[in-house]
Amino acid sequence: MAFDITPYINMKPSEVRQLIREGKIDFPTSGMCAGYAQANLVILPPEYAGDFEEYAKKNPFPCPILEIIKGTPETHAMGEGGNICTDIPKYRIYKDGKWTGEELTDVSEYWKEGYVGFLIGCSFSFEESLLREGIEVRHIAQKRNVPMFKVPLFQTVPVGPFSGPTVCSMRPMTPENARKAYEITVKMPNVHGAPYHMGPAEAIGVDAMKPDFGDAVDIYEGEIPVFWPCGVTPQAAVENAKPPIMITHAPGHMFITDIVNAELNDYLEAQKSQ
């Protein structure tokens, strides 16, 4: 499905979050609020939150934690006044490890006392750096959602009930641009870091034209698919954990933070040392 993010490219994150909260934006957020970091979401009941936090720490590239939200669904570090139950364009509800099949624009009624929210780093944050270096990001160019794949070859480190394959997002590029993209993203460990694989999709057991999440994009002659670990990975892990409920963003529909991409890595490193 094509959609137009042009009106939102230069808006402030708080302005776009308000439009999302009002139901005026219900499509993927890649490319919105140029310069600002975006985040994936996981909300879990308290008895699963501790294991998930440890799972994320053991799998920092697909699951880099930006903020943990407790008490109320309001955000602080990643955006004062934000709300993880209203400020994402579309949400998914998982029950006993299975997606219910519906996508909601507001999940406030599901938030209960003791629930814990996790904002997780997103590859949309490094796309800005790729574009600045003249590397086309195909799903943005084609006005589509980024293609994402469950890659059984790349198993995550299990913790408690959480385990499963890494989900990878894919962007086709020339080999030269792929090398440039590697050099750019290897320096950004808090938003997924370097690619896990650059080359034929068959080598890692997936079909580049049949993503598990998002939309297929065109791959031109002379290009190779480039796969990065992706924050949709928890949605694969929850199929094994089977918590009674998990609330997530719909793939490609992110929480837009108030933190500038250029400062995110330093900000998070500083947080770790506190």
Side-chain angles (χ1 to χ4, degrees):
M1 183 191 78
F3 47 87
D4 187 12
I5 60 146
T6 309
Y8 316 108
I9 291 172
N10 295 311
M11 276 192 184
K12 292 179 182 170
S14 58
E15 294 171 337
V16 171
R17 290 200 301 265
Q18 185 61 37
L19 290 172
I20 292 169
R21 194 177 295 189
E22 292 169 2
K24 292 174 181 168
I25 296 173
D26 64 354
F27 42 85
T29 53
S30 176
M32 293 184 191
C33 302
Y36 288 90
Q38 300 195 21
N40 305 278
L41 174 71
V42 172
I43 299 173
L44 284 162
E47 62 271 23
Y48 283 84
D51 277 337
F52 181 77
E53 183 175 350
E54 188 61 23
Y55 175 77
K57 286 177 179 172
K58 288 265 172 56
N59 297 282
F61 291 113
C63 305
I65 293 177
L66 306 186
E67 182 178 359
I68 298 175
I69 297 102
K70 297 178 179 178
T72 73
E74 292 171 356
T75 58
H76 300 287
M78 288 293 120
E80 197 60 52
N83 186 315
I84 56 172
C85 288
T86 59
D87 297 357
I88 285 173
K90 282 182 183 169
Y91 299 85
R92 288 184 173 184
I93 308 288
Y94 285 75
K95 292 186 176 175
D96 300 318
K98 290 196 169 78
W99 175 38
T100 60
E102 60 181 336
E103 293 185 333
L104 308 173
T105 56
D106 185 329
V107 291
S108 302
E109 66 183 284
Y110 288 92
W111 180 272
K112 290 192 172 79
E113 187 176 346
Y115 276 26
V116 181
F118 299 87
L119 287 175
I120 294 170
C122 169
S123 56
F124 291 175
S125 292
F126 67 62
E127 289 178 347
E128 175 197 1
S129 300
L130 301 183
L131 291 166
R132 201 166 49 237
E133 291 299 316
I135 300 171
E136 183 198 85
V137 178
R138 188 64 39 77
H139 61 270
I140 295 179
Q142 297 191 326
K143 295 183 167 61
R144 297 176 189 173
N145 196 358
V146 62
M148 294 160 270
F149 303 81
K150 294 178 188 175
V151 185
L153 189 65
F154 304 142
Q155 288 294 311
T156 55
V157 177
V159 173
F162 294 97
S163 65
T166 301
V167 174
C168 290
S169 58
M170 187 277 288
R171 294 155 188 81
M173 300 174 184
T174 64
E176 180 189 4
N177 278 346
R179 284 191 293 274
K180 278 167 62 177
Y182 182 97
E183 293 303 325
I184 291 166
T185 56
V186 74
K187 298 169 187 161
M188 304 173 78
N190 290 301
V191 287
H192 303 310
Y196 272 17
H197 176 68
M198 303 191 298
E202 310 84 66
I204 56 171
V206 301
D207 181 338
M209 302 314 292
K210 293 182 179 174
D212 293 295
F213 308 95
D215 303 319
V217 296
D218 295 335
I219 302 175
Y220 304 140
E221 192 170 342
E223 291 183 331
I224 58 171
V226 185
F227 293 84
W228 276 269
C230 170
V232 174
T233 297
Q235 297 185 27
V238 83
E239 292 173 11
N240 291 318
K242 296 182 172 57
I245 188 168
M246 179 179 84
I247 303 163
T248 73
H249 65 295
H253 301 69
M254 304 297 169
F255 180 88
I256 303 175
T257 79
D258 288 344
I259 305 290
V260 178
N261 281 317
E263 298 169 3
L264 182 64
N265 218 66
D266 290 343
Y267 171 84
L268 291 165
E269 290 303 321
Q271 293 293 103
K272 288 175 190 173
S273 60
Q274 286 182 6

